[in-house]
Amino acid sequence: MKKLYSFGLHKTEVDEILGWLIESNYLNEERFAILFAGGKFRIKKWGRIKIRQALLQHRISNYNINTALNNIDELAYMKTLQRLASVKWQSLKTDTVLVKKMKTTRYLLQKGYERPLIVQTLSILAFP
């Protein structure tokens, strides 16, 4: 809409063009949300919380956000979380388990993963 208004178009013309784009499936919020969530998860290894926040910033509806997050494969999600936790755990040179747990938890929270899943994953890592 902003781009169309920047061309000097009036509201009726903008509405007509947007209607046509939506009708022709060029603009599809659900498709955008699914592809955005999948890409951020696969490429940047983001968790669901961070993806949700990014989609909210794009003003995507809650229905489409939930649809996009449900399209993320649960098994791949858990494997990614475990891999990230393991790599971070191995990279820490600290001797104490408590400090390693704290730093790894903070890292995974920053990546957008859910705290209960992090606790579950770290319990396996810390005490195999």
Side-chain angles (χ1 to χ4, degrees), residues 26-101:
Y26 283 107
L27 292 178
N28 187 329
E29 189 177 89
E30 182 179 6
R31 183 180 65 198
F32 169 78
I34 291 170
L35 292 174
F36 181 89
K40 293 299 182 186
F41 170 67
R42 280 189 318 280
I43 296 167
K44 293 196 173 193
K45 310 292 187 237
W46 283 7
R48 288 189 183 111
I49 295 171
K50 193 166 186 172
I51 294 171
R52 176 179 293 281
Q53 291 302 316
L55 286 171
L56 285 171
Q57 287 180 341
H58 282 281
R59 297 186 186 141
I60 304 298
S61 69
N62 279 327
Y63 173 79
N64 287 327
I65 291 173
N66 291 333
T67 302
L69 293 177
N70 289 336
N71 273 352
I72 296 174
D73 181 39
E74 189 65 33
L75 183 60
Y77 189 78
M78 290 305 296
K79 282 185 177 181
T80 301
L81 172 61
Q82 290 167 354
R83 193 174 322 113
L84 285 172
S86 177
V87 168
K88 182 65 176 178
W89 187 271
Q90 300 296 328
S91 72
L92 296 173
K93 303 299 180 200
T94 316
D95 292 333
T96 63
V97 174
L98 185 62
V99 173
K100 277 182 146 180
K101 252 185 171 180

XYZ file of all heavy atoms in Angstrom, residues 26-101:
634
model
N -1.102 -13.204 -5.801
C 0.230 -12.629 -5.716
C 0.533 -12.209 -4.282
O 1.658 -12.330 -3.819
C 0.373 -11.407 -6.641
C 0.549 -11.782 -8.089
C -0.475 -11.589 -8.993
C 1.737 -12.318 -8.536
C -0.320 -11.928 -10.325
C 1.905 -12.664 -9.858
C 0.873 -12.465 -10.749
O 1.029 -12.805 -12.064
N -0.478 -11.699 -3.610
C -0.351 -11.348 -2.198
C -1.115 -12.397 -1.397
O -2.325 -12.506 -1.499
C -0.935 -9.965 -1.916
C -0.203 -8.770 -2.499
C -0.934 -7.483 -2.159
C 1.213 -8.707 -2.003
N -0.374 -13.176 -0.608
C -0.990 -14.232 0.175
C -0.283 -14.276 1.523
O 0.862 -14.721 1.627
C -0.859 -15.565 -0.552
C -1.617 -16.674 0.115
O -1.769 -16.675 1.332
N -2.086 -17.620 -0.662
N -0.973 -13.804 2.544
C -0.379 -13.705 3.878
C -0.012 -15.069 4.448
O 1.044 -15.227 5.062
C -1.366 -12.990 4.814
C -0.789 -12.650 6.151
C -1.764 -11.875 7.017
O -2.540 -12.526 7.743
O -1.744 -10.638 6.954
N -0.855 -16.049 4.215
C -0.594 -17.383 4.752
C 0.651 -17.993 4.115
O 1.514 -18.541 4.804
C -1.793 -18.302 4.518
C -1.613 -19.689 5.079
C -2.825 -20.572 4.868
O -3.776 -20.146 4.187
O -2.807 -21.694 5.391
N 0.762 -17.877 2.803
C 1.933 -18.407 2.103
C 3.205 -17.702 2.583
O 4.222 -18.336 2.830
C 1.761 -18.227 0.589
C 2.903 -18.825 -0.218
C 2.706 -18.626 -1.681
N 2.750 -17.199 -1.968
C 2.283 -16.644 -3.079
N 1.717 -17.375 -3.987
N 2.387 -15.345 -3.269
N 3.140 -16.383 2.735
C 4.291 -15.624 3.233
C 4.702 -16.118 4.617
O 5.880 -16.354 4.879
C 3.978 -14.130 3.286
C 5.020 -13.333 4.022
C 6.218 -13.003 3.419
C 4.814 -12.944 5.339
C 7.199 -12.287 4.102
C 5.782 -12.226 6.028
C 6.978 -11.902 5.406
N 3.723 -16.282 5.507
C 4.025 -16.694 6.882
C 4.668 -18.077 6.916
O 5.646 -18.293 7.643
C 2.750 -16.679 7.725
N 4.157 -19.002 6.128
C 4.702 -20.361 6.106
C 6.130 -20.363 5.582
O 7.026 -20.987 6.162
C 3.793 -21.294 5.270
C 2.467 -21.523 6.001
C 4.483 -22.622 4.978
C 1.414 -22.217 5.178
N 6.363 -19.659 4.493
C 7.707 -19.622 3.915
C 8.688 -18.863 4.810
O 9.847 -19.260 4.956
C 7.667 -18.992 2.525
C 6.939 -19.822 1.464
C 6.816 -19.056 0.169
C 7.641 -21.140 1.248
N 8.227 -17.783 5.433
C 9.065 -17.007 6.336
C 9.489 -17.862 7.524
O 10.668 -17.933 7.874
C 8.298 -15.769 6.808
C 9.070 -14.869 7.726
C 9.853 -13.847 7.222
C 9.008 -15.033 9.103
C 10.566 -13.004 8.063
C 9.717 -14.206 9.954
C 10.505 -13.186 9.433
N 8.522 -18.534 8.153
C 8.805 -19.359 9.329
C 9.739 -20.509 8.967
O 10.707 -20.784 9.691
C 7.511 -19.892 9.928
N 9.468 -21.171 7.866
C 10.318 -22.285 7.446
C 11.739 -21.845 7.155
O 12.705 -22.515 7.538
N 11.884 -20.711 6.498
C 13.209 -20.201 6.167
C 13.995 -19.798 7.401
O 15.180 -20.117 7.527
N 13.361 -19.080 8.308
C 14.057 -18.654 9.526
C 14.458 -19.857 10.377
O 15.503 -19.860 11.011
C 13.198 -17.696 10.356
C 12.953 -16.371 9.693
C 14.231 -15.617 9.419
C 13.939 -14.280 8.793
N 15.139 -13.561 8.374
N 13.616 -20.892 10.379
C 13.950 -22.087 11.150
C 15.105 -22.844 10.494
O 16.089 -23.183 11.153
C 12.732 -23.003 11.286
C 13.074 -24.347 11.846
C 13.521 -24.478 13.153
C 12.986 -25.482 11.069
C 13.865 -25.709 13.672
C 13.327 -26.722 11.578
C 13.767 -26.838 12.869
N 15.012 -23.104 9.193
C 16.033 -23.899 8.511
C 17.370 -23.169 8.388
O 18.423 -23.754 8.602
C 15.564 -24.297 7.111
C 14.633 -25.470 7.069
C 14.382 -25.937 5.647
N 14.185 -24.862 4.688
C 13.057 -24.188 4.500
N 12.008 -24.484 5.237
N 12.960 -23.237 3.594
N 17.325 -21.898 8.035
C 18.569 -21.180 7.734
C 19.194 -20.565 8.981
O 20.383 -20.736 9.235
C 18.306 -20.109 6.663
C 17.883 -20.791 5.362
C 19.536 -19.241 6.441
C 17.311 -19.870 4.317
N 18.389 -19.852 9.762
C 18.941 -19.157 10.931
C 18.787 -19.936 12.227
O 19.236 -19.492 13.273
C 18.294 -17.784 11.076
C 18.671 -16.845 9.948
C 18.348 -15.436 10.309
C 18.886 -14.505 9.248
N 18.867 -13.134 9.673
N 18.091 -21.076 12.161
C 17.883 -21.938 13.339
C 17.132 -21.225 14.453
O 17.408 -21.419 15.630
C 19.217 -22.474 13.878
C 20.115 -23.109 12.846
C 19.550 -24.391 12.321
C 20.545 -25.084 11.415
N 20.052 -25.336 10.090
N 16.153 -20.393 14.070
C 15.342 -19.691 15.057
C 14.324 -20.636 15.664
O 13.822 -21.549 15.010
C 14.585 -18.541 14.410
C 15.410 -17.329 14.121
C 16.753 -17.181 14.244
C 14.916 -16.073 13.650
N 17.129 -15.923 13.876
C 16.024 -15.220 13.510
C 13.657 -15.595 13.328
C 15.895 -13.906 13.066
C 13.529 -14.306 12.887
C 14.642 -13.470 12.762
N 13.958 -20.374 16.920
C 12.900 -21.112 17.587
C 11.547 -20.464 17.331
O 11.440 -19.391 16.731
N 10.500 -21.129 17.803
C 9.131 -20.665 17.544
C 8.834 -19.292 18.137
O 8.095 -18.505 17.553
C 8.135 -21.685 18.090
C 8.090 -22.949 17.267
C 6.935 -23.838 17.710
N 6.967 -25.066 16.956
C 7.267 -26.246 17.467
N 7.559 -26.358 18.738
N 7.279 -27.320 16.709
N 9.392 -19.000 19.297
C 9.098 -17.719 19.959
C 9.647 -16.563 19.125
O 8.952 -15.564 18.884
C 9.677 -17.699 21.389
C 8.974 -18.743 22.252
C 9.553 -16.316 22.006
C 9.600 -18.949 23.610
N 10.857 -16.693 18.648
C 11.477 -15.629 17.859
C 10.783 -15.484 16.500
O 10.585 -14.367 16.016
C 12.967 -15.920 17.665
C 13.747 -14.743 17.135
C 15.230 -14.974 17.298
C 16.001 -13.729 16.892
N 17.418 -13.851 17.209
N 10.379 -16.591 15.904
C 9.651 -16.542 14.633
C 8.309 -15.847 14.832
O 7.904 -15.009 14.026
C 9.471 -17.956 14.049
C 10.829 -18.543 13.652
C 8.523 -17.928 12.858
C 10.791 -20.009 13.269
N 7.608 -16.189 15.918
C 6.315 -15.554 16.207
C 6.474 -14.040 16.339
O 5.692 -13.274 15.786
C 5.706 -16.127 17.483
C 4.400 -15.445 17.916
C 3.823 -16.048 19.170
N 3.370 -17.405 18.976
C 2.212 -17.728 18.388
N 1.417 -16.782 17.943
N 1.856 -18.990 18.248
N 7.495 -13.603 17.065
C 7.718 -12.165 17.249
C 8.007 -11.476 15.918
O 7.519 -10.368 15.670
C 8.870 -11.919 18.234
C 8.547 -12.311 19.655
C 7.321 -11.580 20.190
O 7.170 -10.394 19.993
N 6.447 -12.320 20.851
N 8.804 -12.107 15.074
C 9.119 -11.523 13.774
C 7.869 -11.423 12.900
O 7.661 -10.415 12.206
C 10.191 -12.348 13.074
N 7.021 -12.438 12.932
C 5.782 -12.397 12.143
C 4.824 -11.340 12.683
O 4.115 -10.691 11.915
C 5.129 -13.780 12.112
C 5.825 -14.814 11.221
C 5.226 -16.193 11.435
C 5.767 -14.417 9.762
N 4.790 -11.169 13.997
C 3.953 -10.112 14.575
C 4.440 -8.734 14.121
O 3.638 -7.831 13.895
C 3.943 -10.199 16.099
C 3.101 -11.322 16.702
C 3.343 -11.432 18.205
C 1.627 -11.097 16.415
N 5.746 -8.566 13.991
C 6.282 -7.294 13.504
C 5.890 -7.035 12.051
O 5.779 -5.890 11.635
C 7.807 -7.259 13.640
C 8.272 -7.095 15.052
C 9.786 -7.054 15.164
O 10.505 -7.475 14.266
N 10.262 -6.534 16.285
N 5.669 -8.118 11.309
C 5.208 -7.989 9.924
C 3.687 -7.841 9.839
O 3.136 -7.836 8.738
C 5.640 -9.208 9.102
C 7.070 -9.186 8.679
N 7.526 -8.442 7.631
C 8.159 -9.809 9.187
C 8.825 -8.610 7.492
N 9.235 -9.446 8.441
N 3.040 -7.754 10.998
C 1.585 -7.591 11.105
C 0.806 -8.748 10.472
O -0.202 -8.549 9.794
C 1.152 -6.261 10.486
C 1.721 -5.075 11.196
C 1.165 -3.796 10.653
N 1.839 -2.669 11.275
C 2.171 -1.573 10.634
N 1.882 -1.437 9.364
N 2.778 -0.606 11.256
N 1.288 -9.959 10.692
C 0.614 -11.158 10.212
C -0.418 -11.569 11.264
O -0.180 -11.456 12.460
C 1.636 -12.294 9.975
C 2.730 -11.850 9.005
C 0.961 -13.556 9.490
C 2.266 -11.486 7.635
N -1.560 -12.061 10.803
C -2.635 -12.438 11.724
C -2.231 -13.652 12.563
O -1.404 -14.470 12.149
C -3.912 -12.760 10.942
O -3.744 -13.957 10.204
N -2.836 -13.779 13.743
C -2.527 -14.901 14.638
C -2.843 -16.246 14.000
O -2.132 -17.222 14.212
C -3.286 -14.759 15.959
C -2.598 -13.799 16.904
O -1.383 -13.710 16.917
N -3.376 -13.083 17.673
N -3.924 -16.298 13.226
C -4.289 -17.545 12.549
C -3.163 -17.994 11.613
O -2.750 -19.156 11.620
C -5.592 -17.372 11.763
C -5.921 -18.567 10.915
C -6.494 -19.703 11.478
C -5.637 -18.574 9.552
C -6.788 -20.815 10.705
C -5.923 -19.675 8.769
C -6.489 -20.794 9.352
O -6.761 -21.896 8.583
N -2.637 -17.069 10.811
C -1.573 -17.413 9.868
C -0.254 -17.700 10.580
O 0.530 -18.536 10.129
C -1.388 -16.300 8.830
C -2.536 -16.286 7.842
O -3.095 -17.320 7.509
N -2.887 -15.109 7.377
N -0.006 -17.034 11.703
C 1.200 -17.324 12.485
C 1.126 -18.747 13.031
O 2.089 -19.512 12.935
C 1.374 -16.307 13.635
C 1.716 -14.925 13.076
C 2.446 -16.773 14.616
C 1.745 -13.818 14.108
N -0.021 -19.111 13.585
C -0.181 -20.463 14.119
C -0.066 -21.512 13.018
O 0.531 -22.578 13.223
C -1.514 -20.595 14.855
C -1.530 -19.789 16.138
O -0.495 -19.537 16.737
N -2.707 -19.363 16.549
N -0.628 -21.223 11.853
C -0.520 -22.142 10.720
C 0.940 -22.330 10.328
O 1.394 -23.453 10.088
C -1.317 -21.606 9.516
O -2.682 -21.437 9.899
C -1.243 -22.555 8.339
N 1.678 -21.228 10.271
C 3.092 -21.296 9.886
C 3.906 -22.074 10.909
O 4.747 -22.908 10.540
C 3.650 -19.888 9.725
N 3.668 -21.829 12.185
C 4.427 -22.524 13.225
C 4.081 -24.014 13.280
O 4.935 -24.840 13.594
C 4.185 -21.863 14.585
C 4.734 -20.442 14.730
C 4.375 -19.869 16.089
C 6.232 -20.404 14.505
N 2.835 -24.349 12.964
C 2.438 -25.753 12.939
C 3.050 -26.498 11.753
O 3.101 -27.731 11.762
C 0.916 -25.890 12.922
C 0.305 -25.513 14.241
O 0.955 -25.576 15.283
N -0.950 -25.100 14.216
N 3.486 -25.775 10.725
C 4.116 -26.407 9.570
C 5.565 -26.792 9.821
O 6.164 -27.481 9.003
C 4.042 -25.485 8.344
C 2.754 -25.670 7.583
O 1.984 -26.573 7.865
N 2.520 -24.812 6.618
N 6.137 -26.333 10.926
C 7.508 -26.717 11.257
C 7.477 -28.132 11.822
O 6.747 -28.420 12.774
C 8.130 -25.735 12.281
C 8.242 -24.346 11.665
C 9.485 -26.233 12.747
C 8.701 -23.278 12.635
N 8.261 -29.005 11.233
C 8.304 -30.405 11.639
C 8.834 -30.527 13.072
O 9.911 -30.012 13.389
C 9.191 -31.194 10.671
C 9.255 -32.664 11.011
O 8.221 -33.238 11.397
O 10.360 -33.240 10.890
N 8.089 -31.208 13.922
C 8.438 -31.320 15.344
C 9.745 -32.077 15.551
O 10.569 -31.694 16.384
C 7.298 -32.015 16.105
C 7.449 -31.995 17.607
C 7.375 -30.589 18.188
O 6.655 -29.746 17.651
O 8.051 -30.355 19.207
N 9.954 -33.131 14.787
C 11.179 -33.913 14.918
C 12.398 -33.086 14.505
O 13.420 -33.083 15.202
C 11.087 -35.185 14.071
C 12.262 -36.145 14.164
C 12.448 -36.631 15.603
C 12.054 -37.319 13.231
N 12.291 -32.363 13.404
C 13.388 -31.500 12.952
C 13.641 -30.386 13.960
O 14.797 -30.007 14.199
C 13.065 -30.911 11.579
N 12.574 -29.876 14.557
C 12.696 -28.811 15.560
C 13.494 -29.297 16.770
O 14.413 -28.633 17.239
C 11.291 -28.362 15.976
C 11.245 -27.122 16.834
C 11.390 -25.864 16.271
C 11.011 -27.206 18.197
C 11.326 -24.714 17.051
C 10.938 -26.069 18.987
C 11.095 -24.827 18.403
O 11.033 -23.681 19.169
N 13.157 -30.484 17.252
C 13.850 -31.030 18.420
C 15.301 -31.378 18.084
O 16.194 -31.151 18.897
C 13.114 -32.263 18.959
C 11.772 -31.943 19.604
S 11.885 -30.718 20.926
C 12.881 -31.587 22.119
N 15.543 -31.922 16.896
C 16.915 -32.239 16.500
C 17.761 -30.974 16.393
O 18.922 -30.955 16.799
C 16.927 -32.985 15.169
C 16.577 -34.433 15.276
C 16.723 -35.137 13.950
C 16.425 -36.608 14.098
N 16.583 -37.328 12.822
N 17.174 -29.919 15.855
C 17.895 -28.653 15.737
C 18.210 -28.094 17.115
O 19.328 -27.637 17.363
C 17.077 -27.637 14.919
O 16.826 -28.187 13.628
C 17.809 -26.324 14.777
N 17.236 -28.131 18.012
C 17.455 -27.662 19.377
C 18.569 -28.458 20.049
O 19.473 -27.887 20.664
C 16.157 -27.761 20.192
C 16.260 -27.482 21.693
C 16.752 -26.068 21.949
C 14.915 -27.713 22.360
N 18.543 -29.769 19.911
C 19.568 -30.618 20.525
C 20.937 -30.348 19.913
O 21.941 -30.296 20.630
C 19.194 -32.092 20.372
C 18.010 -32.484 21.218
C 17.446 -33.842 20.852
O 17.860 -34.474 19.890
N 16.474 -34.296 21.642
N 20.984 -30.145 18.595
C 22.256 -29.869 17.936
C 22.834 -28.534 18.390
O 24.020 -28.426 18.705
C 22.076 -29.883 16.417
C 23.378 -29.926 15.655
C 23.222 -30.093 14.150
N 22.160 -30.984 13.759
C 21.039 -30.600 13.116
N 20.867 -29.341 12.785
N 20.115 -31.470 12.785
N 21.990 -27.498 18.445
C 22.446 -26.188 18.905
C 22.942 -26.256 20.350
O 23.977 -25.679 20.688
C 21.318 -25.160 18.803
C 20.959 -24.643 17.421
C 19.703 -23.787 17.489
C 22.106 -23.852 16.828
N 22.179 -26.953 21.189
C 22.570 -27.077 22.599
C 23.892 -27.828 22.723
O 24.772 -27.423 23.500
C 21.475 -27.793 23.382
N 24.054 -28.887 21.982
C 25.272 -29.685 22.045
C 26.492 -28.889 21.584
O 27.542 -28.925 22.229
C 25.105 -30.938 21.184
O 26.281 -31.691 21.184
N 26.347 -28.163 20.482
C 27.462 -27.365 19.964
C 27.843 -26.276 20.961
O 29.033 -26.052 21.227
C 27.114 -26.771 18.583
C 28.109 -25.713 18.169
C 27.030 -27.872 17.541
N 26.855 -25.599 21.520
C 27.135 -24.546 22.499
C 27.786 -25.142 23.745
O 28.750 -24.593 24.278
C 25.842 -23.803 22.859
C 26.033 -22.653 23.824
C 26.876 -21.558 23.203
C 26.994 -20.373 24.129
N 27.848 -19.329 23.569
N 27.254 -26.274 24.199
C 27.780 -26.937 25.395
C 29.251 -27.307 25.195
O 30.078 -27.089 26.072
C 26.944 -28.185 25.682
C 27.272 -28.862 26.968
C 28.214 -29.832 27.176
C 26.679 -28.623 28.245
N 28.215 -30.214 28.487
C 27.283 -29.491 29.171
C 25.666 -27.773 28.687
C 26.929 -29.528 30.505
C 25.310 -27.815 30.020
C 25.947 -28.675 30.912
N 29.573 -27.862 24.027
C 30.952 -28.273 23.736
C 31.886 -27.073 23.603
O 33.079 -27.178 23.900
C 31.007 -29.087 22.441
C 30.184 -30.351 22.453
C 30.667 -31.368 23.465
O 31.850 -31.460 23.740
N 29.731 -32.118 24.042
N 31.357 -25.941 23.152
C 32.210 -24.769 22.929
C 32.596 -24.057 24.225
O 33.570 -23.314 24.251
C 31.522 -23.776 22.001
O 30.451 -23.131 22.667
N 31.838 -24.296 25.291
C 32.117 -23.633 26.571
C 33.276 -24.329 27.277
O 33.265 -25.547 27.453
C 30.873 -23.631 27.451
C 29.691 -22.819 26.906
C 28.463 -23.033 27.769
C 30.043 -21.357 26.826
N 34.246 -23.551 27.684
C 35.439 -24.105 28.318
C 35.345 -24.098 29.843
O 36.266 -24.487 30.531
C 36.682 -23.300 27.895
C 36.895 -23.237 26.399
C 37.097 -24.617 25.820
C 37.317 -24.509 24.322
N 37.058 -25.729 23.619
N 34.227 -23.654 30.371
C 34.037 -23.580 31.813
C 33.939 -24.989 32.395
O 33.389 -25.889 31.780
C 32.742 -22.813 32.137
O 32.683 -21.664 31.320
C 32.688 -22.410 33.578
N 34.470 -25.165 33.589
C 34.465 -26.485 34.218
C 33.138 -26.819 34.888
O 32.752 -27.978 34.946
C 35.593 -26.591 35.249
C 36.952 -26.581 34.581
O 37.039 -26.990 33.414
O 37.920 -26.181 35.248
N 32.450 -25.838 35.427
C 31.258 -26.136 36.221
C 30.046 -26.359 35.330
O 29.816 -25.638 34.352
C 30.957 -24.994 37.208
O 30.662 -23.823 36.458
C 32.132 -24.731 38.127
N 29.279 -27.345 35.692
C 28.085 -27.702 34.947
C 27.033 -26.599 35.056
O 26.334 -26.289 34.074
C 27.516 -29.048 35.452
C 26.192 -29.366 34.792
C 28.518 -30.163 35.206
N 26.941 -25.983 36.224
C 25.947 -24.932 36.441
C 26.165 -23.743 35.499
O 25.209 -23.235 34.895
C 25.981 -24.470 37.898
C 24.913 -23.461 38.302
C 23.535 -24.069 38.144
C 25.136 -23.010 39.728
N 27.397 -23.316 35.347
C 27.700 -22.184 34.468
C 27.430 -22.557 33.017
O 26.865 -21.770 32.250
C 29.166 -21.719 34.662
C 29.552 -20.675 33.639
C 29.358 -21.187 36.072
N 27.790 -23.776 32.631
C 27.534 -24.239 31.267
C 26.032 -24.262 30.979
O 25.583 -23.856 29.910
C 28.109 -25.639 31.057
C 29.558 -25.676 30.722
C 29.973 -27.123 30.501
C 31.026 -27.205 29.436
N 31.450 -28.574 29.178
N 25.272 -24.747 31.948
C 23.817 -24.801 31.797
C 23.234 -23.401 31.632
O 22.384 -23.163 30.780
C 23.181 -25.469 33.021
C 22.645 -26.817 32.788
C 21.935 -27.317 34.034
C 21.216 -28.587 33.733
N 20.512 -29.138 34.864
